[in-house]
Amino acid sequence: MSDIIRRDPRAEWIVRNRLHPLHLSLVKSQQGDVRGPSGLLRKNVRDVGFIGPNGIKRIDRANLLTVDTTTRRSASKDTQTARPLHVVEQADFYIMVVADMVGGRLTAHDKDLLGQAHRLVVQYSDVNSQCCGAVALVCFGQIKDDQLGLSGVDRLFHLEDTVYDGFSPEARLGALQQIESQYQPLHWLFPDSVHGGADLACRFSARIGERLAAHVWQLDREQCLSRGASGSMDIKRATPRIVTLLEECADPIEDTQHQALPMVLEPMAVPSARLKEKGQMAVDASAVPLAEAEFILSAGNGIHNWAQFHATATALGATEGASRVAVDEGFMPRARQVGASGTWVTARVYVAVGISGAIQHMQGIGQCDKVIAINTDAGCDMVKRADLAVIADSDALLMALASLVEQHQLAKHAEQIHGENSNAA
Amino acid sequence: MMLDWLPPTLIGVLLVLAGVGAIRRINLWRAGQAEEVAILAGLMAMPTRYLHDLHHVVDRDKYISRTHVATGGGFVLAMALIVLVHVFGVNNTLLAWALMAALVMMFCGALFVFKRRLNPPSRLSKGPWMRLPKSLLTFSVTFFVLTLPAAGILPDGTGRWVFTLVLSALILLSLSEVLLGMTWGGPMKHAFAGALHLAFHRRSERFGGGRSTGLKPVLFSDNDAVNKVHGVAKPSDFKWNQLLGFDACVQCGRCEAVCPAFAAGQPLNPKKLIQDMVVGFAGGSDAQYAGSPYPDGKGGVQEVGYAKGGADQIITDGLIHPDTLWSCTTCRACVEECPMMIEHVDAIVDMRRFLTLEKGDTPNKGAQVLENIIATDNPNGHSPESRTYWAADQNLALMKDVKKAEVLFWVSDGAFDMRSQRILRAFVTLLKAAKVDVAILGDEERDSGDVARRLGDDATFQSLAKRNLATLSQYRFSTLVTTDPHAFHCLKNEYGDFGSTALDGVEVLHHTTFLNRLVKEGRLRLDTFKGGKVTYHDPCYLGRYNGEYEAPRELLASLGIDIAEMERSAFRSRCCGGGGGAPITDIPGERRIADMRMEDVVSTGAEMVAVGCQQCTAMLEGVVEPRPVVKDIAEILVGQLVEEVH
Amino acid sequence: MQPNVNVVSLVSIGRHPQSGRARRAEQDGRAVELGLKLVQDKLTLLHAGNAHETVLRQYAGMGLDGFTVLPQGEGDDAVPVLVAYFKANRQHHSRQIVLTGVNAESGESSGMLPYLLAEQLGWPIVPRIADIVRVDEFEAEVLLALPRGQRRVVTVSLPFIASVDSAAQEPRQSAFARGLRATLTTLDYGSRVDDAVSHWQVAPAKPKPKRLKVVKAKTAADRMKAATAKPVGGGGKVLRNESVEEQAQAIFDLLLEEKVIR
């Protein structure tokens, strides 16, 4: 959206038409502020609403009929300006949030942590109202998120250097130590994630010799509740300085915006790396163990064209599964069997192609979130269980699906190239 | 030139050589482990065991049983008389006539053996076995001629030395087969080893109409046992009388004909397995084997001649591929059918024990299932606290609360499977309708240990058995009923080895037996069944393992059902493929056993197949539709139950 | 290739998620499996805790003749003993690899142990590895497990500690009799009670509340609509007579919405 001021012919027409129910309000709004004799801003309390079609005055509280001023701006700008700015003039203490920043963007987990950090700041301020704290985000590498302030970042430690690229826990640990010695934050919050958050937290805790609380899911100024013994126990203890937090520990910031002021670090010596990254290896999605797969395309008796099924699974990036019959017939290896006598899967999305749904199979997919059925029999159990069922021949449907994915990929690829070109420009 | 001394000398020398061979053979068996056997009582009982038990099995094929009586009986009689007449020179015309009569009988039998060998079915071994009828005929003719002078038909000294020489050559030929072959490893070996095998059988309870089907436990308790190999790694790890049993095989291939795994093209042939065991303890290779080889699981066969073994060589290193052992469904069809009463299943499980306990090499999902059983007491790793979820709406008394009940319902692991739960609910409904004082163990129940034991993990089986027995011993009940024939078999036949009194005086019953009693007592009012044609599938662990063929049939008959019996039913019932952990180890074959069984069902034209086992239900229902409906007998009964109106 | 290194798999007592019973821990089992892959039965199996725990024999049953236990009490801190053990061991073996699981299945399961060991021994730690590809004189090449089956190649200098991720090769079956025969060696390096634990209150886990979809409504009318609207997707949609293209599009849209297609 651009900032170009546009004409609104309809509004102009209403202003001209004195009989239009919105005429008065529109004229008023275009007149601008009315100031009283003393220079105070005045508001005409009777000047609300409009006369409805049957002559009765109506007040449109839901703003259903409101027309904006003659100018319209982009929607995002509007919501942005709608949020009040939370300003921290001088921070007396800091709560550090070390973000995962997967792909240069805050993850939902990171945002939850920022929300948690602000709750801590509020709790500390309640105790000592003179004190004023700031939530500082520590992030490494390139940032693609340009709205960090909207997620609740008061201060930003942005460490952008080649030493922090990719897998570099030792360099990152060095930076955290530097922040620690320079700012002595009140708390360090890390996401308890596989993206490096938990690893960095453990390194940091071991380095500065302070015990952390791991897998915390409830946290306040004094106490925290952490999951222990592979999620089977809750441990309540005094909140330590270093905490790794589970997802959804607190609500993310949604009502305020923050300054996201960049902070500077004194130059530091980068430790020599004993771990050296040699790059990433591409791994086949279909090799992912069935029990851990997030997205499964599963084949049953209704599949006739197996080559096409495999091709579709590859195109979708889905892990392949199979019903017992398909395995018995020898079309799929036993390790791919889903169901009570095969693997109990936990996929978020399960697409069952040509599987009518024997009771043992349904048991195996009990924990799946979304089930999509593709079947020719509308009365089968799988269709009854499915969130979305399609009554069609699997061959034609898989072909259509594969071509859709292909188009999608092409479009995305084109966009990427375009993006890179414009960046270069 | 008189050569009269030649035939007796030849016979004598060959007898001595046979004796040497016998000692040598006995020493081969003695390489096995010690096992307590009542030697004298066994030898005394041997003739009865032969004439009654063995003949009973052979007699299922009238042709061969009569042939065998003639040939075998004639030979034994003839051999005894030959020793008297020709070796010791007892000059008695009567004896000579008797000998000639025996030889004629044997000749007639041998003719029928010869006839069968003209176009032998594929289950029969060829090779030296093709030669046997000819040798038998030669034997009877030769000695018949040799005895003619003694009987006074021909004068002494008839013929010249050429004639005697020819006769001596024939004696050498035929006696080599029947005497030397007996102890040095020819087809006639079955007579010698078979007789001793009957005398020293490891399961003497099987004779005289008894039944012995429970597996023998592995010893873990004493310290010596810890350092010994568990299960059978080498042929010498078998008990000596097991080795003797292998030697008794006649290679008739009846086991091969009934083996579901062999029919499905899985790499198992019970006959070849037993012959491989013989190769194992006698040393050498299987090049001499002339029967059907193991299938290769892909529609072809494994080539014979490459398997090598020795008494102290690991069996699964070169003699037998582990897949052969894991193909077995432990259905006992081979044991039931074996005329020599060889225990194939015992041997297979013994070798599986080595693979699981010592090598940790249970194939496919075996390892995972065992780990689940160890950690959660059920094969699928469900929470032990969820064992009673199925009964949430059943209002069943828990033993924990009531302490005593008339009947304890052993629920088994079907509690975790939604299909099996339908059977459980049906049975509970019937129990309630009959107002039976019943209770369940609830979460205190554990897996019976059946799967663990058949997969070779006897440690886990024993641990489960002991804990289950400890639980059972806390409560008082007179009858234990279960819907699962596998649990039924364990509880009834295998839990007795652990020195617990928990099941003393308790009648362990399968639900079909129990329901049959209720129906007979008039405690269940049932409508006539008006559905279509029904057939009944005998579960192996109910039928062959426990001999219960009648109760399910009587129950169905009480509903007015005239069972359309399958060709293979009752003790010849074909396995569903679900036993012995076979669905878990999942050895690939050409076809599926369940599909073959369903074909049996379809060929009767039945619209419904009644079953008495949740495992069979699951396997048969796994056959792709359209197929007949599969229902447990309890489910069929519930459908016909007349609810009393109050 | 059998590298001349001393590989130690540090194991703990696992906990079955369903029954809560002691078992071979998932990741620790993988650490043993990886160790066996590297040096076969020369692997050192080490546990700090109760020497008479039968689960240890399940680890040994994977193919080891013996295992070593540093006896510890229930609430003892394993770190100082293990540090003492490895410091003593350093005199015999200059090149060591220590493999552990990522998190223990019992106790605090913070996953700190390998980090504390690494810090106090001055060794590098590689987190969440899936495999060790190569070990030579001075360094090893390892594969790090990333989410969704991705792998990252990292080289690390010897000696080092690595925590083994669930993406590593599954542990082989444990042979009961082999474990039964395994010899137990106990080494006494003292013990120290973990004081902090006494201040904790431990309770069975409460179910975590699921986050509801919050409707950001600016007006009363919107809030009313949100509160009374029927929840979407309750019954499940069935597409019967649409064209194949439309049906495929519907599936595709759902997959996009669920973010499984990227």
Side-chain angles (χ1 to χ4, degrees), chain B residues 125-205:
Chain B
S125 287
K126 318 291 182 306
W129 293 87
M130 298 304 278
R131 186 182 76 206
L132 184 62
K134 293 166 200 156
S135 306
L136 293 174
L137 288 171
T138 318
F139 175 87
S140 44
V141 172
T142 309
F143 279 94
F144 189 83
V145 175
L146 192 67
T147 315
L148 287 176
I153 295 175
L154 286 179
D156 265 355
T158 304
R160 287 173 306 174
W161 59 274
V162 179
F163 182 63
T164 317
L165 218 56
V166 167
L167 268 189
S168 297
L170 288 176
I171 289 171
L172 191 68
L173 216 68
S174 57
L175 271 191
S176 299
E177 178 78 279
V178 296
L179 276 187
L180 293 191
M182 205 178 264
T183 59
W184 289 89
M188 283 304 290
K189 184 186 71 186
H190 79 271
F192 169 60
L196 292 180
H197 168 60
L198 286 182
F200 308 134
H201 199 282
R202 199 162 172 235
R203 293 177 181 274
S204 52
E205 307 88 341

Side-chain angles (χ1 to χ4, degrees), chain A residues 127-180:
Chain A
V127 178
N128 181 357
S129 52
Q130 306 299 308
C131 224
C132 172
V135 173
L137 184 78
V138 181
C139 56
F140 300 94
Q142 199 194 3
I143 301 180
K144 289 181 184 152
D145 215 333
D146 57 350
Q147 294 180 348
L148 290 177
L150 287 178
S151 304
V153 179
D154 292 325
R155 299 288 186 271
L156 176 65
F157 290 92
H158 184 202
L159 296 140
E160 197 175 17
D161 189 305
T162 46
V163 296
Y164 303 120
D165 283 347
F167 180 69
S168 51
E170 289 160 316
R172 292 178 183 205
L173 176 61
L176 296 190
Q177 271 182 280
Q178 179 69 23
I179 297 173
E180 167 77 9

Side-chain angles (χ1 to χ4, degrees), chain B residues 444-506:
Chain B
E444 288 183 291
E445 192 184 304
R446 295 171 190 87
D447 180 84
S448 62
D450 168 72
V451 172
R453 179 162 242 199
R454 307 314 135 184
L455 288 179
D457 189 351
D458 223 44
T460 302
F461 167 76
Q462 291 184 20
S463 144
L464 285 167
K466 283 172 188 162
R467 284 182 290 148
N468 275 328
L469 284 166
T471 307
L472 289 170
S473 65
Q474 296 170 29
Y475 307 121
R476 296 218 334 262
F477 49 93
S478 59
T479 311
L480 190 153
V481 183
T482 177
T483 52
D484 176 10
H486 296 262
F488 171 54
H489 168 66
C490 288
L491 286 159
K492 188 176 173 212
N493 305 322
E494 297 189 339
Y495 273 26
D497 291 327
F498 304 104
S500 166
T501 54
L503 290 173
D504 285 1
V506 172

Side-chain angles (χ1 to χ4, degrees), chain A residues 301 324-325 328-329 334 340-344 359-360 363, chain B residues 365 380 382 416-419 422 586 592 618 622-624:
Chain A
N301 208 22
R324 192 194 52 73
V325 178
D328 284 343
E329 299 288 327
R334 184 64 69 187
S341 51
T343 308
W344 295 60
I359 198 159
Q360 287 83 0
Q363 267 177 293
Chain B
K365 298 203 86 181
N380 286 316
H382 297 291
F416 295 105
D417 179 67
M418 285 157 91
R419 174 66 184 88
R422 299 219 293 262
D586 192 36
R592 291 181 67 247
V623 177
V624 181

Side-chain angles (χ1 to χ4, degrees), chain A residues 366-381:
Chain A
Q367 290 183 55
C368 291
D369 227 15
K370 281 269 185 298
V371 174
I372 302 175
I374 301 174
N375 212 306
T376 45
D377 175 14
C380 70
D381 286 341

Side-chain angles (χ1 to χ4, degrees), chain A residues 251-262:
Chain A
D251 290 328
I253 297 293
E254 276 170 339
D255 299 325
T256 51
Q257 60 168 321
H258 298 253
Q259 295 162 293
L261 289 180

Side-chain angles (χ1 to χ4, degrees), chain A residues 199 203 207 211 215 227 229 232 234 236-237 250 274 276-279 281 283 294 387 389 391 412, chain C residues 107-109 115 119 122 125 148-149 151-153 155 194 200-201 203 205-206 211 237 239 258 262:
Chain A
D199 175 50
R203 283 177 196 274
R207 178 60 52 89
R211 190 165 193 155
H215 322 303
R227 283 272 145 98
S232 66
D234 275 339
K236 192 184 241 180
R237 58 175 139 180
R274 289 182 293 183
K276 295 188 193 80
E277 172 163 9
K278 300 280 171 193
M281 243 170 71
V283 174
E294 172 185 38
D387 299 279
I391 311 303
K412 227 175 66 175
Chain C
E108 190 187 2
S109 64
Y115 291 91
E119 190 64 35
I125 159 135
R148 285 203 125 217
R151 300 280 182 272
R152 175 178 271 148
V153 187
T155 57
D194 187 358
W200 297 351
Q201 293 169 41
K206 276 184 294 186
R211 183 181 282 173
K237 213 161 81 184
L239 302 181
E258 288 293 323
R262 283 150 205 204

